Amino acid sequence: RNLTFDKSFEAVELNGYFRYKVSQSASLYSGYSLRNEAPQINQLQPFQDVSNPLNIVTGNPNLEPSNSHNVYAGYNDYDFQKKSGFYSYFNASVTNDKVVPRTIVDENLIRNTTYDNVDGDYRINGSFSKSKSFKLDSLRTLKLGVGAYGNLARVVNFNNNIQYASKTTSITPNFDLTFDLKNVFQFRPSY
């Protein structure tokens, strides 16, 4: 039996970037992008793949392309003469129509998998760090640094045909100290 399959997608993609020099040592930047990703052919094809009889896969010809919006911004200020600076960064992305597997395990423990579009995936993260150097004398320098990284994410998926969303939150502080004895050695513990 002959089966033909034809599917085409049209989508707009965008990309923009902005940078502003606040001072000789400081700059502010931001950007936005819109990306689209078409489903793979095996996710779209409307027939069953029975090459693995314990996992029967059927494509979904009604899938839409996923689209991801991403926005980011940051601020940098580093003084090379004083060897001190500040850095911050923020990023957020949202994905709609993400293609995910949808699997049902029947009473004979056979997996039947198809694909579906889901909305609501997002990731937000950001970080900052501050460092300052102190010249103790002509040979010794002490540098202190402190910062943190944070992440918040939500992922939508299916488990045995039930849609769920998992959330992850993390905050990671950091601290480092650098003792430099010019042209001899450097000691740098960090947490």
Side-chain angles (χ1 to χ4, degrees):
R1 171 171 120 155
N2 229 353
L3 181 64
T4 60
F5 175 68
D6 185 22
K7 189 80 172 182
S8 62
F9 299 105
E10 292 182 17
V12 173
E13 292 199 347
L14 301 170
N15 194 29
Y17 178 76
F18 169 79
R19 183 173 185 264
Y20 176 68
K21 193 161 178 139
V22 179
S23 69
Q24 187 88 9
S25 62
S27 63
L28 178 68
Y29 63 91
S30 66
Y32 168 78
S33 66
L34 168 62
R35 297 283 177 259
N36 298 283
E37 186 175 345
Q40 297 175 10
I41 189 69
N42 65 319
Q43 297 170 332
L44 286 167
Q45 59 194 10
F47 53 87
Q48 287 187 335
D49 177 358
V50 292
S51 57
N52 179 353
L54 296 177
N55 185 23
I56 299 168
V57 179
T58 308
N60 179 357
N62 298 318
L63 291 175
E64 295 294 327
S66 63
N67 57 71
S68 299
H69 300 268
N70 185 57
V71 63
Y72 61 91
Y75 177 77
N76 296 322
D77 187 359
Y78 190 81
D79 188 328
F80 286 96
Q81 288 180 331
K82 295 179 180 176
K83 295 185 179 176
S84 65
F86 178 79
Y87 168 82
S88 64
Y89 178 79
F90 169 80
N91 181 63
S93 62
V94 176
T95 302
N96 292 314
D97 288 325
K98 184 180 84 168
V99 177
V100 297
R102 188 172 188 157
T103 302
I104 299 171
V105 180
D106 66 19
E107 63 276 354
N108 298 319
L109 300 179
I110 295 175
R111 294 164 50 102
N112 289 282
T113 301
T114 187
Y115 299 92
D116 210 343
N117 290 111
V118 295
D119 292 331
D121 269 29
Y122 64 79
R123 178 176 299 276
I124 301 168
N125 55 53
S127 67
F128 80 92
S129 63
K130 172 78 175 151
S131 63
K132 187 160 180 68
S133 288
F134 302 93
K135 192 167 184 174
L136 303 175
D137 55 36
S138 62
L139 296 176
R140 298 178 302 158
T141 305
L142 185 65
K143 182 178 178 183
L144 301 174
V146 64
Y149 173 81
N151 182 56
L152 175 64
R154 180 178 190 259
V155 177
V156 180
N157 221 320
F158 286 95
N159 184 13
N160 210 21
N161 209 30
I162 298 171
Q163 185 173 325
Y164 70 93
S166 62
K167 291 183 181 178
T168 306
T169 304
S170 66
I171 297 175
T172 308
N174 60 64
F175 175 78
D176 64 85
L177 173 75
T178 304
F179 177 76
D180 194 3
L181 185 57
K182 191 174 184 179
N183 298 326
V184 178
F185 78 96
Q186 188 179 75
F187 178 65
R188 187 174 186 182
S190 63
Y191 170 76

